[in-house]
Protein backbone atom coordinates (compact mmCIF):
# COMPACT_ATOMS: atom_id res chain seq x y z
CA UNK A 1 0.00 0.00 0.00
CA UNK A 2 1.32 3.45 -0.89
CA UNK A 3 1.36 5.80 2.08
CA UNK A 4 2.33 9.37 1.40
CA UNK A 5 4.77 10.82 3.93
CA UNK A 6 5.17 14.57 3.50
CA UNK A 7 4.82 17.78 5.45
CA UNK A 8 1.60 18.43 3.57
CA UNK A 9 -0.05 15.16 4.57
CA UNK A 10 -1.49 16.49 7.82
CA UNK A 11 -2.98 19.54 6.11
CA UNK A 12 -4.46 17.48 3.29
CA UNK A 13 -5.84 14.99 5.79
CA UNK A 14 -7.42 17.71 7.94
CA UNK A 15 -8.84 19.63 4.98
CA UNK A 16 -10.15 16.49 3.27
CA UNK A 17 -11.87 15.38 6.47
CA UNK A 18 -13.26 18.90 6.96
CA UNK A 19 -14.56 19.01 3.40
CA UNK A 20 -16.27 15.64 3.67
CA UNK A 21 -17.76 16.52 7.06
CA UNK A 22 -19.17 19.82 5.79
CA UNK A 23 -20.64 18.36 2.61
CA UNK A 24 -22.17 15.28 4.20
CA UNK A 25 -23.59 17.24 7.15
CA UNK A 26 -25.28 19.64 4.75
CA UNK A 27 -26.54 16.73 2.65
CA UNK A 28 -27.77 14.94 5.78
CA UNK A 29 -30.27 17.73 6.44
CA UNK A 30 -32.49 16.28 3.72
CA UNK A 31 -32.52 12.42 3.52
CA UNK A 32 -33.81 11.83 7.09
CA UNK A 33 -36.43 14.53 6.55
CA UNK A 34 -37.72 12.98 3.32
CA UNK A 35 -37.81 9.50 4.90
CA UNK A 36 -39.87 10.85 7.80
CA UNK A 37 -42.17 12.89 5.55
CA UNK A 38 -42.59 9.90 3.22
CA UNK A 39 -44.12 7.86 6.04
CA UNK A 40 -46.44 10.75 6.93
CA UNK A 41 -47.57 11.08 3.30
CA UNK A 42 -48.49 7.38 3.18
CA UNK A 43 -50.50 7.82 6.38
CA UNK A 44 -52.37 10.86 5.02
CA UNK A 45 -53.14 9.19 1.68
CA UNK A 46 -54.39 6.08 3.48
CA UNK A 47 -56.59 8.17 5.82
CA UNK A 48 -58.08 9.99 2.84
CA UNK A 49 -58.95 6.73 1.10
CA UNK A 50 -60.44 5.22 4.26
CA UNK A 51 -62.43 8.24 5.46
CA UNK A 52 -62.96 10.19 2.22
CA UNK A 53 -62.45 13.38 4.27
CA UNK A 54 -61.19 16.17 2.04
CA UNK A 55 -58.95 17.58 4.76
CA UNK A 56 -56.61 14.56 4.51
CA UNK A 57 -56.37 15.11 0.76
CA UNK A 58 -55.48 18.79 1.35
CA UNK A 59 -52.89 17.79 3.94
CA UNK A 60 -51.31 15.21 1.63
CA UNK A 61 -51.08 17.75 -1.19
CA UNK A 62 -49.44 20.36 1.05
CA UNK A 63 -46.84 18.03 2.60
CA UNK A 64 -46.09 16.52 -0.83
CA UNK A 65 -44.96 19.97 -2.03
CA UNK A 66 -42.64 20.24 0.99
CA UNK A 67 -41.41 16.68 0.38
CA UNK A 68 -40.59 17.43 -3.27
CA UNK A 69 -38.50 20.45 -2.35
CA UNK A 70 -36.44 18.52 0.20
CA UNK A 71 -36.05 15.50 -2.08
CA UNK A 72 -34.60 17.68 -4.85
CA UNK A 73 -32.05 19.28 -2.53
CA UNK A 74 -31.12 15.89 -1.08
CA UNK A 75 -30.28 14.55 -4.55
CA UNK A 76 -28.30 17.64 -5.58
CA UNK A 77 -26.20 17.81 -2.41
CA UNK A 78 -25.46 14.07 -2.42
CA UNK A 79 -23.74 14.02 -5.80
CA UNK A 80 -20.69 15.94 -4.56
CA UNK A 81 -19.58 13.24 -2.12
CA UNK A 82 -19.19 10.64 -4.86
CA UNK A 83 -16.63 12.91 -6.54
CA UNK A 84 -14.81 13.39 -3.23
CA UNK A 85 -14.30 9.62 -2.96
CA UNK A 86 -12.36 9.71 -6.22
CA UNK A 87 -10.49 12.99 -5.78
CA UNK A 88 -9.54 13.11 -2.10
CA UNK A 89 -9.91 9.47 -1.02
CA UNK A 90 -8.65 7.39 -3.95
CA UNK A 91 -6.76 4.87 -1.77
CA UNK A 92 -9.88 4.40 0.34
CA UNK A 93 -12.00 3.98 -2.79
CA UNK A 94 -9.66 1.25 -4.07
CA UNK A 95 -9.75 -0.49 -0.68
CA UNK A 96 -13.55 -0.53 -0.30
CA UNK A 97 -14.49 -0.53 -4.00
CA UNK A 98 -15.69 -4.12 -4.11
CA UNK A 99 -17.85 -3.76 -0.99
CA UNK A 100 -19.17 -0.28 -1.75
CA UNK A 101 -19.74 -1.14 -5.41
CA UNK A 102 -22.21 -3.86 -4.41
CA UNK A 103 -23.98 -1.74 -1.81
CA UNK A 104 -24.23 1.38 -3.95
CA UNK A 105 -25.32 -0.63 -7.00
CA UNK A 106 -28.08 -2.19 -4.91
CA UNK A 107 -29.03 1.28 -3.67
CA UNK A 108 -29.26 2.53 -7.26
CA UNK A 109 -31.24 -0.45 -8.57
CA UNK A 110 -33.61 -1.16 -5.69
CA UNK A 111 -33.98 2.26 -4.11
CA UNK A 112 -33.12 5.31 -6.17
CA UNK A 113 -34.86 4.12 -9.36
CA UNK A 114 -37.90 3.04 -7.35
CA UNK A 115 -38.03 6.38 -5.54
CA UNK A 116 -37.34 8.52 -8.59
CA UNK A 117 -39.55 6.47 -10.92
CA UNK A 118 -42.69 7.05 -8.88
CA UNK A 119 -41.80 10.58 -7.71
CA UNK A 120 -43.17 12.26 -10.84
CA UNK A 121 -46.44 10.34 -10.42
CA UNK A 122 -46.58 11.45 -6.79
CA UNK A 123 -45.90 15.11 -7.59
CA UNK A 124 -47.89 15.48 -10.80
CA UNK A 125 -50.41 12.64 -10.68
CA UNK A 126 -53.02 14.45 -8.58
CA UNK A 127 -56.40 14.34 -10.36
CA UNK A 128 -54.75 12.53 -13.32
CA UNK A 129 -54.68 8.96 -11.97
CA UNK A 130 -56.97 7.03 -9.67
CA UNK A 131 -56.64 7.40 -5.90
CA UNK A 132 -55.31 3.86 -5.47
CA UNK A 133 -52.70 4.39 -8.19
CA UNK A 134 -51.61 7.60 -6.52
CA UNK A 135 -51.49 5.88 -3.14
CA UNK A 136 -49.29 3.15 -4.66
CA UNK A 137 -46.94 5.81 -6.06
CA UNK A 138 -46.74 7.45 -2.62
CA UNK A 139 -46.00 4.09 -1.01
CA UNK A 140 -43.25 3.28 -3.55
CA UNK A 141 -41.58 6.66 -3.00
CA UNK A 142 -41.61 6.14 0.78
CA UNK A 143 -40.27 2.58 0.43
CA UNK A 144 -37.64 3.79 -2.02
CA UNK A 145 -36.35 6.27 0.56
CA UNK A 146 -36.19 3.54 3.19
CA UNK A 147 -34.43 1.12 0.81
CA UNK A 148 -31.92 3.84 0.00
CA UNK A 149 -31.11 4.28 3.66
CA UNK A 150 -30.68 0.50 3.99
CA UNK A 151 -27.82 0.26 1.51
CA UNK A 152 -26.08 3.46 2.55
CA UNK A 153 -26.24 2.38 6.19
CA UNK A 154 -25.02 -1.12 5.35
CA UNK A 155 -22.00 0.36 3.57
CA UNK A 156 -21.26 2.65 6.49
CA UNK A 157 -21.79 -0.11 9.05
CA UNK A 158 -19.39 -2.40 7.22
CA UNK A 159 -16.70 0.25 7.74
CA UNK A 160 -17.43 0.18 11.48
CA UNK A 161 -17.71 -3.61 11.88
CA UNK A 162 -16.36 -5.27 8.71
CA UNK A 163 -17.46 -8.84 7.88
CA UNK A 164 -17.83 -11.16 4.90
CA UNK A 165 -14.63 -10.13 3.12
CA UNK A 166 -10.95 -10.94 2.68
CA UNK A 167 -8.02 -8.58 2.11
CA UNK A 168 -6.06 -9.28 -1.08
CA UNK A 169 -2.97 -7.60 -2.53
CA UNK A 170 -3.05 -6.17 -6.06
CA UNK A 171 -0.21 -4.63 -8.07
CA UNK A 172 -0.98 -1.53 -10.12
CA UNK A 173 1.82 0.31 -11.95
CA UNK A 174 4.40 -1.43 -9.82
CA UNK A 175 2.74 -0.47 -6.53
CA UNK A 176 1.11 -3.00 -4.24
CA UNK A 177 -2.36 -2.10 -2.97
CA UNK A 178 -4.70 -3.89 -0.63
CA UNK A 179 -8.34 -4.37 -1.43
CA UNK A 180 -11.26 -5.73 0.59
CA UNK A 181 -13.13 -8.27 -1.52
CA UNK A 182 -16.49 -9.84 -0.74
CA UNK A 183 -16.59 -13.59 0.00
CA UNK A 184 -20.00 -13.60 1.70
CA UNK A 185 -22.43 -10.91 0.49
CA UNK A 186 -25.03 -11.50 3.22
CA UNK A 187 -22.36 -11.36 5.91
CA UNK A 188 -21.49 -7.92 4.54
CA UNK A 189 -25.16 -6.88 4.61
CA UNK A 190 -25.79 -8.25 8.09
CA UNK A 191 -22.46 -7.21 9.59
CA UNK A 192 -22.53 -6.94 13.41
CA UNK A 193 -23.73 -3.31 13.55
CA UNK A 194 -25.90 -2.85 10.44
CA UNK A 195 -29.31 -3.85 11.86
CA UNK A 196 -29.00 -1.82 15.07
CA UNK A 197 -27.60 1.17 13.20
CA UNK A 198 -30.35 0.99 10.56
CA UNK A 199 -33.11 0.96 13.17
CA UNK A 200 -31.46 3.92 14.91
CA UNK A 201 -31.27 5.87 11.62
CA UNK A 202 -34.90 5.13 10.71
CA UNK A 203 -36.24 6.21 14.07
CA UNK A 204 -34.14 9.39 13.90
CA UNK A 205 -35.70 10.11 10.50
CA UNK A 206 -39.24 9.53 11.81
CA UNK A 207 -38.56 11.91 14.71
CA UNK A 208 -37.24 14.59 12.37
CA UNK A 209 -40.21 14.25 9.99
CA UNK A 210 -42.68 14.41 12.88
CA UNK A 211 -41.06 17.46 14.49
CA UNK A 212 -40.93 19.18 11.10
CA UNK A 213 -44.70 18.72 10.66
CA UNK A 214 -45.36 19.79 14.27
CA UNK A 215 -43.23 22.91 13.80
CA UNK A 216 -45.21 24.23 10.84
CA UNK A 217 -48.54 23.12 12.32
CA UNK A 218 -47.78 24.86 15.63
CA UNK A 219 -46.91 28.06 13.76
CA UNK A 220 -50.30 27.95 11.98
CA UNK A 221 -52.09 27.34 15.28
CA UNK A 222 -50.33 30.25 17.00
CA UNK A 223 -51.33 32.53 14.12
CA UNK A 224 -54.85 31.01 13.87
CA UNK A 225 -54.37 30.00 10.25
CA UNK A 226 -55.59 26.73 8.71
CA UNK A 227 -56.60 25.70 12.23
CA UNK A 228 -58.38 22.41 11.54
CA UNK A 229 -55.66 21.31 9.12
CA UNK A 230 -52.96 22.22 11.65
CA UNK A 231 -54.68 20.36 14.49
CA UNK A 232 -55.02 17.18 12.43
CA UNK A 233 -51.41 17.38 11.20
CA UNK A 234 -50.04 18.14 14.67
CA UNK A 235 -51.98 15.32 16.31
CA UNK A 236 -50.76 12.67 13.85
CA UNK A 237 -47.18 13.91 14.00
CA UNK A 238 -47.26 14.03 17.81
CA UNK A 239 -48.26 10.36 17.93
CA UNK A 240 -45.37 9.46 15.63
CA UNK A 241 -42.91 11.64 17.57
CA UNK A 242 -43.94 10.20 20.96
CA UNK A 243 -43.69 6.58 19.91
CA UNK A 244 -40.44 7.19 17.98
CA UNK A 245 -38.79 9.08 20.86
CA UNK A 246 -39.52 6.23 23.28
CA UNK A 247 -38.39 3.65 20.71
CA UNK A 248 -35.15 5.56 20.16
CA UNK A 249 -34.30 5.15 23.84
CA UNK A 250 -34.55 1.36 23.47
CA UNK A 251 -32.67 1.43 20.16
CA UNK A 252 -29.91 3.55 21.72
CA UNK A 253 -29.41 0.95 24.45
CA UNK A 254 -28.90 -1.89 21.95
CA UNK A 255 -26.71 0.38 19.84
CA UNK A 256 -24.49 1.01 22.89
CA UNK A 257 -24.19 -2.75 23.48
CA UNK A 258 -22.96 -3.23 19.90
CA UNK A 259 -20.44 -0.40 20.18
CA UNK A 260 -19.16 -1.77 23.50
CA UNK A 261 -18.56 -5.20 21.96
CA UNK A 262 -17.05 -4.21 18.62
CA UNK A 263 -15.70 -0.67 19.09
CA UNK A 264 -14.62 -0.32 22.72
CA UNK A 265 -12.40 2.70 22.03
CA UNK A 266 -15.36 4.56 20.55
CA UNK A 267 -17.47 3.76 23.61
CA UNK A 268 -14.66 4.95 25.90
CA UNK A 269 -14.43 8.23 23.95
CA UNK A 270 -18.22 8.69 23.99
CA UNK A 271 -18.25 8.33 27.78
CA UNK A 272 -14.88 9.94 28.57
CA UNK A 273 -13.37 6.77 30.10
CA UNK A 274 -9.63 7.37 30.13
CA UNK A 275 -8.71 4.72 32.71
CA UNK A 276 -10.02 1.16 33.00
CA UNK A 277 -12.26 0.83 36.00
CA UNK A 278 -14.98 -1.17 37.71
CA UNK A 279 -18.35 0.51 38.10
CA UNK A 280 -17.79 3.15 35.40
CA UNK A 281 -19.90 6.30 35.59
CA UNK A 282 -22.32 7.40 32.90
CA UNK A 283 -21.94 11.15 32.59
CA UNK A 284 -24.94 13.40 32.09
CA UNK A 285 -22.60 16.24 31.09
CA UNK A 286 -18.95 17.14 31.47
CA UNK A 287 -15.82 18.53 29.86
CA UNK A 288 -13.19 15.89 28.91
CA UNK A 289 -9.61 17.09 29.40
CA UNK A 290 -7.00 15.05 27.51
CA UNK A 291 -4.15 16.66 29.45
CA UNK A 292 -5.32 15.55 32.88
CA UNK A 293 -7.31 12.60 31.46
CA UNK A 294 -10.34 13.49 33.52
CA UNK A 295 -13.87 14.72 32.81
CA UNK A 296 -14.16 18.13 34.48
CA UNK A 297 -17.34 19.89 35.65
CA UNK A 298 -19.19 16.62 35.31
CA UNK A 299 -22.35 15.11 36.70
CA UNK A 300 -22.43 11.34 36.40
CA UNK A 301 -24.48 8.35 37.46
CA UNK A 302 -22.22 5.99 39.50
CA UNK A 303 -22.00 2.59 37.83
CA UNK A 304 -24.31 3.80 35.06
CA UNK A 305 -22.05 2.90 32.13
CA UNK A 306 -21.21 -0.52 33.54
CA UNK A 307 -24.91 -1.14 34.07
CA UNK A 308 -25.75 0.02 30.55
CA UNK A 309 -23.38 -2.33 28.74
CA UNK A 310 -23.44 -5.41 30.95
CA UNK A 311 -26.38 -5.15 33.34
CA UNK A 312 -23.92 -5.17 36.28
CA UNK A 313 -23.16 -1.77 37.92
CA UNK A 314 -19.78 -3.08 39.16
CA UNK A 315 -18.58 -4.60 35.86
CA UNK A 316 -15.21 -3.73 34.35
CA UNK A 317 -14.97 -1.13 31.56
CA UNK A 318 -11.76 -0.70 29.57
CA UNK A 319 -10.31 2.81 29.36
CA UNK A 320 -8.60 4.57 26.47
CA UNK A 321 -5.15 4.14 28.01
CA UNK A 322 -5.45 0.36 27.76
CA UNK A 323 -7.26 0.36 24.42
CA UNK A 324 -5.08 2.83 22.56
CA UNK A 325 -2.30 0.45 21.54
CA UNK A 326 -4.73 -1.87 19.75
CA UNK A 327 -7.54 0.44 18.62
CA UNK A 328 -6.00 3.90 18.56
CA UNK A 329 -7.50 6.90 20.37
CA UNK A 330 -10.42 8.85 18.85
CA UNK A 331 -10.74 12.60 19.51
CA UNK A 332 -12.39 12.42 22.93
CA UNK A 333 -13.86 15.92 23.47
CA UNK A 334 -15.81 16.08 20.19
CA UNK A 335 -17.02 12.47 20.39
CA UNK A 336 -18.12 12.94 24.02
CA UNK A 337 -19.97 16.23 23.44
CA UNK A 338 -21.67 15.10 20.22
CA UNK A 339 -22.85 11.89 21.86
CA UNK A 340 -24.14 13.62 24.99
CA UNK A 341 -25.87 16.36 22.99
CA UNK A 342 -27.69 13.67 20.98
CA UNK A 343 -28.73 11.81 24.13
CA UNK A 344 -29.78 15.03 25.89
CA UNK A 345 -31.99 16.10 22.99
CA UNK A 346 -33.48 12.62 22.83
CA UNK A 347 -34.42 12.73 26.53
CA UNK A 348 -35.90 16.21 26.10
CA UNK A 349 -38.02 14.89 23.22
CA UNK A 350 -39.34 12.03 25.37
CA UNK A 351 -40.39 14.41 28.16
CA UNK A 352 -41.97 17.04 25.93
CA UNK A 353 -43.84 14.66 23.63
CA UNK A 354 -45.24 12.75 26.60
CA UNK A 355 -46.31 16.03 28.24
CA UNK A 356 -47.88 17.25 24.98
CA UNK A 357 -49.71 13.92 24.60
CA UNK A 358 -51.05 14.30 28.15
CA UNK A 359 -52.30 17.83 27.38
CA UNK A 360 -53.85 16.59 24.15
CA UNK A 361 -55.69 13.90 26.09
CA UNK A 362 -56.98 16.61 28.47
CA UNK A 363 -57.98 18.77 25.51
CA UNK A 364 -55.77 21.75 26.44
CA UNK A 365 -52.75 21.22 24.17
CA UNK A 366 -53.72 23.75 21.52
CA UNK A 367 -54.36 26.45 24.14
CA UNK A 368 -50.86 25.99 25.69
CA UNK A 369 -49.07 28.64 23.68
CA UNK A 370 -45.62 28.30 25.27
CA UNK A 371 -45.56 24.60 24.32
CA UNK A 372 -46.64 25.39 20.77
CA UNK A 373 -43.80 27.91 20.52
CA UNK A 374 -41.43 25.21 21.80
CA UNK A 375 -42.54 22.89 18.99
CA UNK A 376 -42.08 25.67 16.40
CA UNK A 377 -38.35 25.76 17.23
CA UNK A 378 -37.81 22.16 18.41
CA UNK A 379 -37.38 21.04 14.79
CA UNK A 380 -33.95 22.68 14.93
CA UNK A 381 -33.07 20.33 17.81
CA UNK A 382 -34.28 17.38 15.72
CA UNK A 383 -31.89 18.40 12.91
CA UNK A 384 -29.06 18.84 15.43
CA UNK A 385 -29.72 15.43 17.01
CA UNK A 386 -29.42 13.69 13.63
CA UNK A 387 -26.24 15.62 12.78
CA UNK A 388 -24.42 15.07 16.09
CA UNK A 389 -25.41 11.41 16.00
CA UNK A 390 -23.47 11.13 12.76
CA UNK A 391 -20.55 13.12 14.24
CA UNK A 392 -20.23 10.89 17.31
CA UNK A 393 -20.37 7.73 15.16
CA UNK A 394 -17.80 8.91 12.60
CA UNK A 395 -15.37 10.83 14.79
CA UNK A 396 -15.55 8.02 17.36
CA UNK A 397 -14.16 5.45 14.89
CA UNK A 398 -10.99 7.41 14.25
CA UNK A 399 -8.13 6.84 13.55
CA UNK A 400 -9.70 4.10 11.41
CA UNK A 401 -11.68 4.84 8.27
CA UNK A 402 -12.30 1.07 8.04
CA UNK A 403 -12.07 -0.73 11.34
CA UNK A 404 -9.70 -3.70 11.59
CA UNK A 405 -10.46 -7.22 12.71
CA UNK A 406 -8.69 -8.11 15.93
CA UNK A 407 -6.70 -11.36 15.65
CA UNK A 408 -4.70 -12.49 18.70
CA UNK A 409 -4.98 -8.99 20.12
CA UNK A 410 -3.59 -7.32 17.00
CA UNK A 411 -5.55 -5.21 14.46
CA UNK A 412 -5.62 -6.92 11.05
CA UNK A 413 -6.99 -5.71 7.77
CA UNK A 414 -8.26 -2.24 8.59
CA UNK A 415 -7.44 1.05 6.90
CA UNK A 416 -6.35 4.12 8.83
CA UNK A 417 -7.82 7.44 7.74
CA UNK A 418 -4.34 8.91 7.25
CA UNK A 419 -3.53 6.09 4.80
CA UNK A 420 -6.72 6.53 2.76
CA UNK A 421 -5.87 9.83 1.06
CA UNK A 422 -5.27 10.28 -2.63
CA UNK A 423 -1.60 10.46 -3.52
CA UNK A 424 -1.67 13.50 -5.77
CA UNK A 425 -4.20 15.89 -4.26
CA UNK A 426 -2.74 19.01 -2.61
CA UNK A 427 -3.89 21.06 0.36
CA UNK A 428 -4.38 24.18 -1.75
CA UNK A 429 -6.68 22.28 -4.11
CA UNK A 430 -8.80 20.94 -1.27
CA UNK A 431 -8.97 24.37 0.37
CA UNK A 432 -10.09 25.96 -2.90
CA UNK A 433 -12.82 23.36 -3.35
CA UNK A 434 -14.01 23.90 0.24
CA UNK A 435 -14.42 27.62 -0.46
CA UNK A 436 -16.22 26.83 -3.72
CA UNK A 437 -18.54 24.30 -2.11
CA UNK A 438 -19.14 26.68 0.79
CA UNK A 439 -20.39 29.35 -1.60
CA UNK A 440 -22.62 26.96 -3.54
CA UNK A 441 -24.06 25.36 -0.42
CA UNK A 442 -24.71 28.74 1.18
CA UNK A 443 -26.73 29.73 -1.88
CA UNK A 444 -28.60 26.41 -1.79
CA UNK A 445 -29.36 26.89 1.91
CA UNK A 446 -30.74 30.40 1.31
CA UNK A 447 -32.77 29.10 -1.62
CA UNK A 448 -34.13 26.25 0.52
CA UNK A 449 -35.21 28.63 3.29
CA UNK A 450 -36.83 31.04 0.82
CA UNK A 451 -38.79 28.33 -1.00
CA UNK A 452 -39.80 26.71 2.28
CA UNK A 453 -40.98 30.06 3.62
CA UNK A 454 -42.94 30.66 0.43
CA UNK A 455 -44.72 27.29 0.60
CA UNK A 456 -45.51 27.68 4.31
CA UNK A 457 -46.83 31.19 3.71
CA UNK A 458 -49.06 29.90 0.89
CA UNK A 459 -50.21 27.10 3.16
CA UNK A 460 -52.55 24.25 2.29
CA UNK A 461 -55.72 24.71 0.35
CA UNK A 462 -57.67 24.30 3.58
CA UNK A 463 -60.18 25.43 4.46
CA UNK A 464 -61.25 25.53 0.80
CA UNK A 465 -60.98 28.94 -0.84
CA UNK A 466 -63.49 31.42 0.55
CA UNK A 467 -64.13 29.65 3.84
CA UNK A 468 -60.95 30.62 5.73
CA UNK A 469 -62.27 34.09 6.52
CA UNK A 470 -65.45 32.50 7.87
CA UNK A 471 -63.43 30.15 10.08
CA UNK A 472 -61.29 32.97 11.46
CA UNK A 473 -64.43 35.06 12.12
CA UNK A 474 -65.92 32.20 14.14
CA UNK A 475 -62.71 31.86 16.14
CA UNK A 476 -62.58 35.59 16.90
CA UNK A 477 -66.23 35.48 18.00
CA UNK A 478 -65.46 32.54 20.34
CA UNK A 479 -62.51 34.42 21.81
CA UNK A 480 -64.61 37.54 22.43
CA UNK A 481 -67.25 35.47 24.25
CA UNK A 482 -64.67 33.64 26.36
Amino acid sequence: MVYRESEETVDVLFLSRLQFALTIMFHYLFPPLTIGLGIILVYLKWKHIRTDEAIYDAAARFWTKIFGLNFALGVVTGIVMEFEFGTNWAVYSRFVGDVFGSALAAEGIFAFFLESGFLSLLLFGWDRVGKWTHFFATLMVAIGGIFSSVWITVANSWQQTPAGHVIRDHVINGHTFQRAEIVDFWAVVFNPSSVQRLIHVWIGAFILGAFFVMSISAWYLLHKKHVEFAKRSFTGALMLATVSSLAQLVSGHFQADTVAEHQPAKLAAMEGVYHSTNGAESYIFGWPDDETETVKYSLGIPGGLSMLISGDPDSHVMGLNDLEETWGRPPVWLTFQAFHLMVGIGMLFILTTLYASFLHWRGTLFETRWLLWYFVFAVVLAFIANEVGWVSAEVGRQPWIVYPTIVDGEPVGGLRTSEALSEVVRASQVLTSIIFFGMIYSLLFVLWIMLLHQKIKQGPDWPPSGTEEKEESVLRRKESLA
Side-chain angles (χ1 to χ4, degrees):
M1 179 179 298
V2 173
Y3 176 35
R4 177 178 51 193
E5 289 285 2
S6 73
E7 294 179 356
E8 194 187 38
T9 300
V10 175
D11 290 336
V12 176
L13 176 61
F14 172 76
L15 290 171
S16 296
R17 289 182 62 189
L18 177 65
Q19 184 188 67
F20 192 76
L22 291 175
T23 51
I24 196 170
M25 288 179 74
F26 186 77
H27 169 68
Y28 202 56
L29 292 173
F30 306 107
L33 182 55
T34 53
I35 291 172
L37 286 177
I39 296 297
I40 292 170
L41 289 180
V42 171
Y43 167 77
L44 291 172
K45 289 291 298 182
W46 176 249
K47 287 289 288 185
H48 178 230
I49 290 173
R50 290 293 302 274
T51 65
D52 204 30
E53 291 187 54
I55 192 170
Y56 288 113
D57 183 58
R61 289 172 186 263
F62 174 72
W63 295 116
T64 297
K65 293 177 185 175
I66 303 286
F67 174 90
L69 170 64
N70 289 289
F71 181 86
L73 280 164
V75 172
V76 169
T77 55
I79 294 172
V80 172
M81 288 177 294
E82 296 188 18
F83 291 107
E84 289 177 31
F85 288 143
T87 55
N88 297 6
W89 303 99
V91 177
Y92 160 79
S93 297
R94 275 196 295 266
F95 187 85
V96 303
D98 193 50
V99 177
F100 269 44
S102 302
L104 295 182
E107 193 263 344
I109 295 170
F110 298 115
F112 186 73
F113 284 140
L114 182 67
E115 195 174 19
S116 303
F118 284 95
L119 183 65
S120 58
L121 194 56
L122 169 62
L123 294 176
F124 307 112
W126 299 96
D127 305 321
R128 292 183 174 86
V129 298
K131 60 183 180 181
W132 280 107
T133 303
H134 200 258
F135 172 77
F136 183 72
T138 308
L139 184 63
M140 290 301 102
V141 169
I143 291 175
I146 290 175
F147 275 2
S148 181
S149 68
V150 168
W151 295 109
I152 298 299
T153 305
V154 163
N156 181 275
S157 297
W158 179 85
Q159 295 176 130
Q160 312 262 356
T161 53
H165 70 286
V166 294
I167 306 295
R168 292 198 173 100
D169 290 337
H170 294 268
V171 179
I172 302 176
N173 295 331
H175 298 291
T176 301
F177 294 93
Q178 290 185 326
R179 191 162 181 260
E181 297 181 359
I182 296 176
V183 294
D184 184 343
F185 177 74
W186 293 111
V188 171
V189 173
F190 293 102
N191 67 74
S193 67
S194 61
V195 174
Q196 293 298 338
R197 189 182 304 278
L198 192 55
I199 292 171
H200 208 63
V201 167
W202 282 345
I203 297 175
F206 298 159
I207 291 174
L208 178 56
F211 271 84
F212 188 83
V213 170
M214 286 194 292
S215 173
I216 297 173
S217 301
W219 189 87
Y220 285 147
L221 288 167
L222 287 165
H223 291 81
K224 296 184 171 49
K225 297 182 67 174
H226 318 294
V227 173
E228 187 58 28
F229 160 85
K231 284 183 177 179
R232 298 278 188 107
S233 295
F234 193 100
T235 300
L238 177 61
M239 291 171 56
L240 178 61
T242 306
V243 172
S244 298
S245 297
L246 290 168
Q248 195 69 309
L249 182 65
V250 179
S251 168
H253 169 70
F254 288 111
Q255 180 87 322
D257 286 348
T258 304
V259 172
E261 181 179 355
H262 297 280
Q263 297 176 291
K266 179 194 283 190
L267 179 76
M270 284 176 165
E271 292 288 358
V273 183
Y274 288 96
H275 307 283
S276 299
T277 182
N278 294 327
E281 285 184 283
S282 178
Y283 293 107
I284 297 174
F285 59 80
W287 191 271
D289 185 340
D290 286 340
E291 192 170 327
T292 61
E293 297 193 332
T294 58
V295 179
K296 296 180 177 177
Y297 321 116
S298 63
L299 176 63
I301 302 172
L305 179 59
S306 294
M307 184 71 186
L308 179 69
I309 61 176
S310 68
D312 179 1
D314 296 320
S315 64
H316 187 73
V317 177
M318 295 284 282
L320 287 166
N321 284 344
D322 293 325
L323 294 166
E324 184 171 5
E325 184 176 353
T326 303
W327 298 95
R329 177 178 293 210
V332 179
W333 186 90
L334 183 56
T335 307
F336 179 97
Q337 300 297 3
F339 172 70
H340 282 77
L341 184 56
M342 176 189 67
V343 173
I345 292 173
M347 297 306 293
L348 176 65
F349 283 175
I350 290 174
L351 294 175
T352 53
T353 54
L354 284 175
Y355 182 59
S357 298
F358 172 71
L359 292 184
H360 189 274
W361 173 71
R362 291 186 59 185
T364 58
L365 172 61
F366 299 126
E367 285 72 47
T368 311
R369 292 182 63 82
W370 70 266
L371 191 57
L372 292 178
W373 276 115
Y374 159 79
F375 280 110
V376 169
F377 296 104
V379 66
V380 178
L381 296 177
F383 276 115
I384 291 174
N386 275 274
E387 295 284 353
V388 294
W390 177 85
V391 170
S392 64
E394 301 307 299
V395 176
R397 71 175 151 114
Q398 300 302 320
W400 300 96
I401 198 167
V402 178
Y403 244 64
T405 302
I406 302 302
V407 179
D408 298 328
E410 296 294 327
V412 176
L415 180 67
R416 289 180 180 270
T417 308
S418 58
E419 298 173 339
L421 287 169
S422 299
E423 299 151 28
V424 295
V425 69
R426 295 288 174 260
S428 58
Q429 296 169 329
V430 182
L431 180 61
T432 301
S433 63
I434 289 176
I435 295 171
F436 178 74
F437 287 145
M439 294 169 61
I440 297 295
Y441 279 21
S442 297
L443 288 173
L444 284 175
F445 183 76
V446 171
L447 181 65
W448 178 54
I449 295 296
M450 289 176 61
L451 291 174
L452 202 55
H453 174 73
Q454 184 185 47
K455 291 184 183 302
I456 294 171
K457 190 176 179 181
Q458 289 174 347
D461 186 22
W462 190 269
S465 303
T467 60
E468 184 172 4
E469 293 79 5
K470 182 179 178 181
E471 182 191 51
E472 291 177 355
S473 174
V474 171
L475 284 171
R476 283 196 294 271
R477 193 182 308 160
K478 286 182 179 178
E479 287 178 351
S480 64
L481 293 173

